[in-house]
Amino acid sequence: MYVETHQILELDLTEDHRSKCYELEKKTKKESDFDIAVRNFTNLSIEMKKQKINQKELTSVSSGDIVNLHELLFTKNRDYLIKFNGDQVKAEQFADKIVFVAVDDDDTSFEEEMLFDPLPKTDLENDFEEVFSCMPWTAIPLSDRTSRELLQKRFGFRDNNGSLFVIDSKGVVLQTIVIYDFIRYGSLGYPFSSERLESLESECKAIAAEPTVEKLLSSPERDYVIANNGDKVPIHTLEDKVVALYFHAGNVTETDMLTEELRNVYENLAEKEVKFEVVLLYLCDTPITIGFRNEDSFWRTFGTMPWLALPYKDPILKKLKIIYEYPEDYNYGDDEEISKLVIVGPHGEFCEPCGADILLNYRVPGYPFTREKALELETERIKKLKLEMILETNKVLTRNDGSKVCSFDVLMHYSKSLVEILSSLIPVPKATSMVPIKED
């Protein structure tokens, strides 16, 4: 017991001695600039960590809350926001407008750069200018750190990618996590209130239930599609035709193959004066196409095609993707994004979402490219099978091109095709629980 007490006392004396020596050294030796910088850095780092902790503990705004945007965006010394070209947008210009507030949670680099980088232009400033140069809207000046921190504290952070809020002209928060709504609805979702988004979903469901070319392709601002020479073709002239909506994806190999087969079928049916039309839906906002397609690539691609198209980046593309759930079952990071053909019958008589598979399998005879037509063709093929082909399963047959095939393989191929078509036509019943039967 004595030894333990002695050890503690010795430790206390040692620490006290060191402290006194340090104070004496400070009095006799002037601090260098480096020592001052280190001390300031330590104090500032501690303060920043405290601010971060306090900021994370704040409850960010929710839908329906009311905020004072003027106090958050402007100060007594600054009554404007900036654009990348240097223009100043005055506070009064934001009156009676819907405002989108984007808050970024990437402040760590700012702390590091402000403390360590002695150059006139820091890496953070370069990053800010690089990102801001791609944006047509306004921003709080990077130098106004107080306003940016106030905005961050008030709105909080929803995820690591930052947050985006929609606020109306009265300061009412309409939406808090709106980035996914931007991706899904585009400009059709404006002003992105819950009522507008619910209305849009209901509208899409109603069109999907009774689709016609007019409902699918037209909008209040546009009642036409375009040819590759720039001509406008009224949508109502397509109502009595079978129309293929061509979702043109970013998978080059498969898309090129589908385009070539579709071209052959299109030209063949045109020669026979069959009422068939294709409308290109040039996708540029999917995980694979975004950033790699633009209006120039649209016209280069469309210029090689004999059919019609929706204008580049037309808002209706978003609605069509919602209605037909495109791209379906796509996982971000996948390399594949499959093109799709949706076949719409005259005056909406039918709608076939699997048109691409049917066209690739049956070509011209598959017209109008519905599963019912595919079933009809497969049934005819099976009827043509000779009896000996079924009974003598090991018999070798010769195809039209001279190649050999076992009769059993032929039979299995047609049987499998028929089962797949029947399965797609007949709805699968819900699973029921099996109740064991008691034996007498």
Side-chain angles (χ1 to χ4, degrees):
M1 187 69 178
Y2 171 79
V3 174
E4 293 179 359
T5 305
H6 174 75
Q7 289 176 338
I8 295 174
L9 181 61
E10 183 178 303
L11 179 61
D12 290 340
L13 289 174
T14 304
E15 289 295 324
D16 183 65
H17 174 70
R18 288 176 179 173
S19 178
K20 289 180 179 180
C21 290
Y22 179 71
E23 292 294 331
L24 179 61
E25 185 178 2
K26 285 176 58 178
K27 291 179 180 179
T28 57
K29 182 180 179 181
K30 185 178 179 180
E31 283 185 294
S32 66
D33 292 339
F34 176 77
D35 293 330
I36 296 173
V38 169
R39 178 162 50 81
N40 291 339
F41 164 71
T42 303
N43 295 336
L44 189 55
S45 296
I46 294 173
E47 184 61 28
M48 285 180 172
K49 288 179 180 179
K50 289 180 180 179
Q51 291 178 4
K52 276 283 188 179
I53 294 172
N54 293 335
Q55 180 175 313
K56 295 294 183 181
E57 290 175 350
L58 287 173
T59 302
S60 60
V61 297
S62 303
S63 297
D65 288 354
I66 298 177
V67 298
N68 189 327
L69 272 180
H70 192 278
E71 291 183 357
L72 291 169
L73 299 179
F74 307 101
T75 67
K76 293 180 180 179
N77 301 321
R78 179 180 54 77
D79 63 345
Y80 61 87
L81 298 180
I82 60 169
K83 285 197 169 186
F84 180 72
N85 61 5
D87 290 348
Q88 295 182 359
V89 182
K90 295 294 184 178
E92 55 265 24
Q93 294 180 248
F94 291 88
D96 301 323
K97 288 186 178 181
I98 300 289
V99 178
F100 302 92
V101 179
V103 186
D104 193 4
D105 189 19
D106 188 18
D107 203 34
T108 303
S109 60
F110 177 81
E111 297 167 3
E112 294 175 351
E113 295 295 343
M114 290 296 289
L115 292 170
F116 287 107
D117 197 334
L119 298 177
K121 180 172 287 190
T122 66
D123 287 343
L124 179 66
E125 289 174 319
N126 289 327
D127 291 343
F128 174 80
E129 290 185 6
E130 182 179 354
V131 173
F132 195 26
S133 66
C134 304
M135 299 176 177
W137 46 79
T138 58
I140 294 175
L142 183 65
S143 58
D144 190 352
R145 181 177 179 183
T146 301
S147 293
R148 292 191 295 108
E149 288 185 346
L150 180 63
L151 197 67
Q152 290 171 340
K153 289 178 181 180
R154 182 66 183 93
F155 284 91
F157 302 116
R158 298 305 171 104
D159 54 45
N160 292 331
N161 297 319
S163 302
L164 190 59
F165 302 82
V166 182
I167 303 167
D168 71 8
S169 57
K170 297 179 181 179
V172 178
V173 179
L174 301 180
Q175 293 288 341
T176 55
I177 307 177
V178 76
I179 184 65
Y180 304 106
D181 296 329
F182 274 19
I183 295 172
R184 181 171 174 81
Y185 303 109
S187 60
L188 291 175
Y190 181 85
F192 298 95
S193 61
S194 298
E195 293 77 13
R196 172 54 186 160
L197 300 185
E198 290 171 5
S199 173
L200 192 54
E201 287 290 339
S202 299
E203 184 181 338
C204 290
K205 288 180 181 178
I207 295 174
E210 297 180 357
T212 65
V213 172
E214 188 85 27
K215 293 178 183 177
L216 290 167
L217 298 180
S218 64
S219 68
E221 299 78 25
R222 179 186 49 75
D223 60 356
Y224 60 87
V225 289
I226 59 174
N228 58 19
N229 61 359
D231 289 347
K232 297 178 181 179
V233 180
I235 293 174
H236 68 81
T237 62
L238 307 178
E239 282 289 356
D240 62 342
K241 296 183 179 182
V242 173
V243 177
L245 305 180
Y246 184 12
F247 288 84
H248 192 275
N251 187 309
V252 177
T253 303
E254 294 191 9
T255 299
D256 287 351
M257 181 180 68
L258 177 58
T259 299
E260 192 57 35
E261 290 294 344
L262 181 57
R263 184 197 311 278
N264 294 335
V265 169
Y266 182 87
E267 293 174 349
N268 194 303
L269 292 176
E271 290 177 2
K272 298 178 181 179
E273 297 184 350
V274 176
K275 291 185 176 181
F276 177 66
E277 190 54 78
V278 178
V279 177
L280 172 68
L281 310 178
Y282 189 75
L283 303 173
C284 56
D285 62 348
T286 60
I288 287 182
T289 60
I290 192 167
F292 295 95
R293 289 183 168 186
N294 52 38
E295 191 165 4
D296 288 339
S297 67
F298 164 75
W299 284 108
R300 284 197 303 271
T301 301
F302 185 32
T304 65
M305 298 175 174
W307 44 75
L308 306 174
L310 274 186
Y312 175 71
K313 274 192 174 181
D314 192 278
I316 291 298
L317 282 168
K318 292 285 188 182
K319 184 182 291 186
L320 292 172
K321 287 171 62 180
I322 295 171
I323 293 172
Y324 294 111
E325 299 178 349
Y326 185 90
E328 55 184 333
D329 300 328
Y330 177 85
N331 295 317
Y332 282 79
D334 288 354
D335 293 329
E336 294 191 0
E337 190 176 82
I338 308 302
S339 291
K340 184 172 186 172
L341 280 181
V342 175
I343 312 297
V344 182
H347 306 287
E349 293 175 6
F350 59 82
C351 185
E352 176 55 70
C354 301
D357 291 332
I358 298 170
L359 183 140
L360 290 173
N361 277 292
Y362 303 101
R363 274 72 177 185
V364 173
Y367 177 85
F369 314 111
T370 62
R371 277 170 282 189
E372 288 79 5
K373 183 62 177 180
L375 177 61
E376 177 186 324
L377 294 175
E378 288 298 329
T379 303
E380 289 299 321
R381 285 183 181 180
I382 292 175
K383 286 181 180 179
K384 292 178 181 179
L385 293 176
K386 296 180 180 180
L387 182 61
E388 58 267 25
M389 293 173 63
I390 300 175
L391 298 178
E392 300 180 24
T393 56
N394 293 324
K395 186 174 181 178
V396 177
L397 305 174
T398 303
R399 292 193 179 97
N400 293 335
D401 61 2
S403 60
K404 305 294 183 180
V405 62
C406 178
S407 60
F408 177 78
D409 293 336
V410 175
L411 180 62
M412 292 303 296
H413 168 75
Y414 288 130
S415 299
K416 181 179 179 182
S417 298
L418 186 59
V419 169
E420 289 177 350
I421 295 171
L422 286 172
S423 299
S424 65
L425 290 172
I426 302 172
V428 180
K430 294 182 179 180
T432 56
S433 58
M434 301 297 293
V435 180
I437 301 176
K438 292 183 179 180
E439 297 183 0
D440 294 336

